[in-house]
């Protein structure tokens, strides 16, 4: 454990102002690291160095004769600074030793108390940081597990359920050609139509869970397909602009995060915004991926994102948490009657090469 010179100097300034005396602090080797007389800093306090090297840690006074004989020493009284069962330095107060002694002891206790307070604060900050890191790790793990489960279910729906429904549709069509009653044929065709609608619903659900395009062709292709389907489903005009990105691939966690934010934001617009137009921009700029989503809807009071009402905005907070896991920034700006804008900035990192050889460094 060592005294920080800047911290020690701030303590010297406080103590010297309170005592109206010259004050200095040495480190645990007797080197002056803080002093009311700035020219003494970095000098050896020979009396303190001798005491520290002798073994026994004790208080000591400096006489007139010692001031003349020893280097970096002034008449006064000096007290060890004890912290964590160790001597981390010496504090000295100038003046007649008998008069300076109580002030030096008081100053040493003040410094020790300040060190203990600072250590407690650092411990609390460290504990808070560890807690936040653990929360981030757990949240990241939860999101990863969710995405893997989404991918698995989506693949099963696409490969197994969709194929089974397709077989049923074909079978019903063949069966309808072998019945002679018009009524029976119509019932079979109605069942076929129901199976077709179910297949479409299953396909839509599979895409919502995890679009194959996202894994196969990347963020841009998946976003373009999602916007196309969204505009057709909700009759909302969405203009997607892609800037400085062609067929580039990015880290999977970056791609899925931006895709989920686009998905969540457009879903919120369809549910709440009453918008007719949406402008989406995906841009690579100065080592970052920027996603902006702006609608011309009714907007809302952004104050509800803080305080008690924030519990109703879990979708927005979920987007914010996803971005924070990637050390990115999330901004939302909304005014009642003037629409809502969302901006996401995610720093790019070096992409590892994939087994397929498609990995690129960006």
């Amino acid at each position: 454990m060592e005294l920080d010179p800047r911290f020690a100097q701030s303590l010297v300034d406080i103590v010297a102002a309170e005592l109206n005396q010259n004050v200095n602090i040495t480190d645990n080797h007797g080197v002056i690291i803080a002093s009311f007389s700035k020219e003494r800093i970095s000098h050896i306090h020979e009396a303190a160095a001798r005491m520290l090297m002798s073994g026994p840690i004790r208080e000591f006074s400096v006489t007139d004769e010692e001031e003349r004989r020893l280097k970096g020493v002034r008449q006064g009284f000096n007290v060890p600074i004890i912290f964590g069962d160790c001597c981390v330095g010496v504090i000295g107060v100038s003046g007649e030793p008998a008069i300076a002694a109580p002030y030096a002891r008081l100053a040493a206790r003040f410094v020790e108390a300040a060190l203990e307070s600072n250590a407690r604060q650092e411990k609390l900050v460290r504990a808070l940081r560890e807690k936040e890191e653990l929360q981030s790790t757990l949240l990241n793990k939860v999101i990863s597990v969710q995405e893997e489960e989404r991918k698995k279910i989506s693949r099963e729906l696409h490969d197994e359920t969709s194929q089974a429904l397709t077989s049923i549709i074909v079978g019903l069509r063949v069966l309808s050609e072998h019945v002679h009653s018009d009524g029976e044929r119509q019932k079979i065709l109605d069942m076929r139509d129901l199976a077709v609608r179910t297949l479409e619903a299953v396909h839509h659900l599979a895409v919502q869970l995890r679009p194959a395009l996202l894994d196969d062709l990347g963020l841009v292709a998946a976003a373009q397909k999602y916007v196309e389907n969204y505009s057709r489903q909700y009759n909302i005009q969405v203009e997607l602009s892609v800037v400085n990105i062609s067929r580039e691939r990015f880290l999977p966690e970056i791609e899925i995060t931006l895709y989920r934010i686009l998905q969540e934001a457009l879903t919120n617009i369809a549910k709440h915004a009453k918008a007719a137009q949406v402008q989406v921009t995906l841009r690579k700029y100065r080592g970052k991926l920027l996603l902006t989503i702006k609608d011309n809807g009714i907007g809302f009071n952004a104050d509800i994102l803080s305080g008690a009402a924030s519990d109703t905005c879990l979708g927005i907070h979920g987007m914010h948490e996803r971005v924070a896991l990637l050390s990115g920034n999330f901004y939302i700006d909304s005014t009642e009657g003037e629409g809502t804008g969302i901006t996401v900035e995610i720093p790019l990192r070096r992409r590892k090469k994939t087994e397929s050889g498609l990995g690129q460094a960006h």
Side-chain angles (χ1 to χ4, degrees), residues 65-356:
E65 191 275 329
E66 288 173 320
E67 180 177 348
R68 292 189 294 270
R69 182 167 52 86
L70 301 176
K71 294 180 181 179
V73 174
R74 286 183 180 175
Q75 182 186 19
F77 198 81
N78 299 269
V79 178
I81 301 171
I82 306 299
F83 177 65
D85 297 328
C86 296
C87 179
V88 296
V90 176
I91 186 166
V93 176
S94 65
E96 183 67 31
I99 298 174
Y103 295 112
R105 294 188 183 106
L106 179 63
R109 302 294 86 78
F110 174 81
V111 173
E112 290 168 356
L115 288 172
E116 290 175 2
S117 176
N118 193 48
R120 283 196 299 270
Q121 183 178 3
E122 288 182 357
K123 185 177 181 180
L124 289 173
V125 169
R126 187 164 56 251
L128 180 60
R129 187 180 300 115
E130 291 173 354
K131 179 182 177 182
E132 291 174 346
E133 290 175 354
L134 178 59
Q135 287 178 331
S136 295
T137 300
L138 292 175
L139 179 59
N140 193 30
K141 184 66 175 177
V142 168
I143 291 175
S144 297
V145 170
Q146 286 177 338
E147 290 298 337
E148 283 301 314
E149 192 64 21
R150 282 170 175 261
K151 183 190 293 186
K152 178 181 177 182
I153 295 173
S154 177
R155 293 291 187 187
E156 289 178 352
L157 288 174
H158 184 271
D159 295 340
E160 298 180 15
T161 308
S162 294
Q163 290 179 10
L165 285 170
T166 300
S167 297
I168 292 172
I169 292 169
V170 173
L172 288 171
R173 182 177 61 81
V174 173
L175 181 61
S176 68
E177 296 174 353
H178 289 79
V179 297
H180 303 291
S181 168
D182 291 341
E184 291 178 350
R185 182 181 297 108
Q186 187 59 47
K187 289 180 180 179
I188 293 173
L189 292 176
D190 289 343
M191 293 176 62
R192 177 181 176 275
D193 291 341
L194 176 59
V196 169
R197 292 195 298 271
T198 302
L199 177 60
E200 292 175 349
V202 167
H203 178 71
H204 178 72
L205 179 59
V207 171
Q208 290 291 104
L209 284 170
R210 180 81 173 206
L213 275 177
L214 185 63
D215 297 314
D216 298 338
L217 298 180
L219 176 61
V220 173
Q224 289 171 335
K225 187 63 176 179
Y226 182 80
V227 165
E228 178 185 329
N229 293 337
Y230 176 90
S231 297
R232 184 169 56 250
Q233 179 180 357
Y234 294 105
N235 195 28
I236 298 175
Q237 181 182 350
V238 181
E239 182 180 349
L240 174 62
S241 300
V242 179
V243 183
N244 294 333
I245 305 173
S246 54
R247 297 181 178 180
E248 296 177 57
R249 296 301 304 270
F250 306 98
L251 289 172
E253 57 266 33
I254 293 178
E255 293 191 338
I256 191 61
T257 293
L258 289 177
Y259 182 84
R260 291 300 181 205
I261 289 173
L262 175 65
Q263 191 178 39
E264 180 71 25
L266 290 182
T267 299
N268 287 343
I269 290 171
K271 288 182 178 179
H272 309 295
K274 299 180 181 179
Q277 294 180 327
V278 182
Q279 175 67 52
V280 178
T281 302
L282 182 63
R283 174 196 305 266
K284 188 175 76 169
Y285 179 70
R286 292 187 177 180
K288 293 181 180 180
L289 268 183
L290 279 68
L291 173 67
T292 59
I293 305 168
K294 173 67 178 176
D295 68 66
N296 66 346
I298 60 175
F300 63 93
N301 183 356
D303 291 340
I304 70 171
L305 297 180
S306 59
S310 64
D311 291 341
T312 63
C313 307
L314 295 179
I316 293 175
H317 288 299
M319 289 189 277
H320 190 279
E321 287 179 337
R322 279 180 174 267
V323 173
L325 287 174
L326 298 176
S327 302
N329 297 309
F330 178 88
Y331 310 98
I332 185 165
D333 179 36
S334 186
T335 303
E336 292 185 63
E338 298 183 13
T340 300
I342 289 176
T343 301
V344 178
E345 298 177 355
I346 295 181
L348 294 174
R349 290 171 287 174
R350 200 167 181 83
R351 179 176 171 83
K352 296 179 181 179
K353 291 185 177 181
T354 61
E355 292 180 359
S356 61

Side-chain angles (χ1 to χ4, degrees), residues 52-66:
L52 292 167
M53 293 173 60
S54 66
I57 303 300
R58 56 181 175 79
E59 300 175 348
F60 64 93
S61 60
V62 174
T63 63
D64 282 338
E65 191 275 329
E66 288 173 320

